[in-house]
Amino acid sequence: MTIQSVHPGRRGRWRPWLFALPALAVYVVFLVYPAVSSLWFSFTDWDGLSPAYNVVGLDNYARMFSDPVVLTAAKNNLIWSLVTIVFPVTMGLALAMALNGKVRGKPVLRLIFYAPGVLPLVSIASIWGWLYNPQYGAINSFLSLIGLDGLAQPWLGQDSTALWAVMVPAVWLRTGFPMLLYLAALQGIPSELYEAARVDGASRWHQFWHVTMPSLRSAHYIVLALSLIDSFKVFDMVYAMTYGGPGTATQVMGTWMYANVFQYYQAGYGTAIAVVITIVAIAVGIPYVLSQTRERAA
């Protein structure tokens, strides 16, 4: 075998790109082109149907600052992100810690807790919509059964409870994913670390804070970054359960973007909202990417 055959010349260097060309073409056509088009239409007054449009510069972005629904949606997005990150991550870590020990029926319990994550989201929204039904829903019926009729509410039909009611199935749905990641990370922690901590007299609580939590640093990055990105682009759960209502009580940036593009025929303004959502998601994901790059370079 000659050196030339092992190290291809300049003519052979383009061959890997030839094999990657179909995937690159699909990526450009279905991801890059729509993204660039959306960015362009965010600077126009296009209605989404007619071929004519006018370039309005940054007017759509400036309009967001005076749009009260955008302010409500942004506030709801922040509340949604906080609740649907803190509770699923905390509960996922607690479940992973519990299932990492000697528990009977461990595989079945893992399946039960992760199962909501693989169910179709529309099915979950429909199930919880029935549970919340003010006339024949299981939640109000149960409250009446135990004598707490006064707590029965039209959970999805009033401003004070609608957003929180939608977040409950979202928390239930999202707990399984961090549980699995933490469970995999916990099984990778060397038992010698715990033995050394016990020899030094560390309690279970100290072992958790000084051995377990630092060893889960990579899992923390993955779980928090993905959960945060997922929270900012929330759309389907809210739309399937309340359509953003009642009024604007459960409106988030994703549903308000959809309403402008497909209901109010203000595609230019709607795509400007979509661009902002994308920028926020990218900004949130950058610390995670940088942390992973540093770890691999180390």
Side-chain angles (χ1 to χ4, degrees):
M1 182 181 294
T2 64
I3 295 176
Q4 187 175 4
S5 62
V6 175
H7 301 286
R10 292 183 178 180
R11 292 183 178 179
R13 291 178 181 175
W14 56 268
R15 288 178 183 169
W17 292 100
L18 183 63
F19 289 107
L21 195 58
L24 284 173
V26 171
Y27 181 79
V28 169
V29 171
F30 291 102
L31 287 175
V32 176
Y33 175 71
V36 174
S37 299
S38 297
L39 181 63
W40 165 248
F41 285 123
S42 72
F43 297 113
T44 71
D45 63 354
W46 189 41
D47 63 5
L49 294 175
S50 65
Y53 55 83
N54 299 309
V55 177
V56 296
L58 296 174
D59 286 2
N60 288 327
Y61 292 94
R63 178 181 166 187
M64 280 189 235
F65 290 99
S66 59
D67 186 346
V69 182
V70 167
L71 299 179
T72 302
K75 184 192 72 175
N76 288 342
N77 264 105
L78 289 175
I79 296 172
W80 181 281
S81 300
L82 185 65
V83 173
T84 60
I85 289 174
V86 170
F87 285 96
V89 170
T90 306
M91 292 163 60
L93 178 59
L95 287 171
M97 295 285 295
L99 295 178
N100 193 44
K102 295 178 180 178
V103 180
R104 295 184 65 181
K106 193 186 299 184
V108 177
L109 290 174
R110 291 177 185 173
L111 178 63
I112 290 173
F113 290 124
Y114 186 69
V118 298
L119 293 175
L121 196 141
V122 175
S123 302
I124 292 176
S126 300
I127 292 169
W128 280 88
W130 295 333
L131 293 174
Y132 284 132
N133 189 284
Q135 278 80 42
Y136 51 82
I139 294 176
N140 282 351
S141 299
F142 176 73
L143 291 173
S144 300
L145 184 67
I146 61 175
L148 297 175
D149 305 64
L151 296 179
Q153 307 281 335
W155 301 99
L156 296 175
Q158 58 185 6
D159 294 0
S160 59
T161 57
L163 182 63
W164 302 100
V166 178
M167 284 192 286
V168 170
V171 170
W172 177 64
L173 172 72
R174 291 167 179 236
T175 300
F177 176 67
M179 181 199 72
L180 273 191
L181 284 180
Y182 280 130
L183 197 54
L186 284 170
Q187 292 173 357
I189 300 176
S191 59
E192 291 81 3
L193 293 178
Y194 291 104
E195 292 172 5
R198 281 194 289 270
V199 169
D200 291 340
S203 63
R204 283 183 171 272
W205 180 250
H206 285 93
Q207 289 176 37
F208 173 75
W209 276 113
H210 299 292
V211 177
T212 305
M213 290 299 279
S215 300
L216 295 177
R217 186 173 56 187
S218 298
H220 292 323
Y221 277 129
I222 296 173
V223 168
L224 291 176
L226 295 182
S227 299
L228 202 54
I229 292 170
D230 204 32
S231 298
F232 271 101
K233 62 183 184 64
V234 57
F235 165 76
D236 35 20
M237 177 69 79
V238 175
Y239 189 78
M241 292 188 73
T242 64
Y243 298 98
T248 59
T250 60
Q251 201 73 258
V252 291
M253 296 291 281
T255 54
W256 189 231
M257 176 272 294
Y258 181 87
N260 276 282
V261 173
F262 296 103
Q263 294 177 2
Y264 304 140
Y265 301 109
Q266 301 182 60
Y269 185 50
T271 51
I273 297 173
V275 170
V276 170
I277 296 172
T278 305
I279 291 173
V280 172
I282 291 173
V284 168
I286 285 176
Y288 164 68
V289 174
L290 291 178
S291 68
Q292 293 299 300
T293 305
R294 288 195 202 101
E295 285 188 4
R296 291 188 179 185

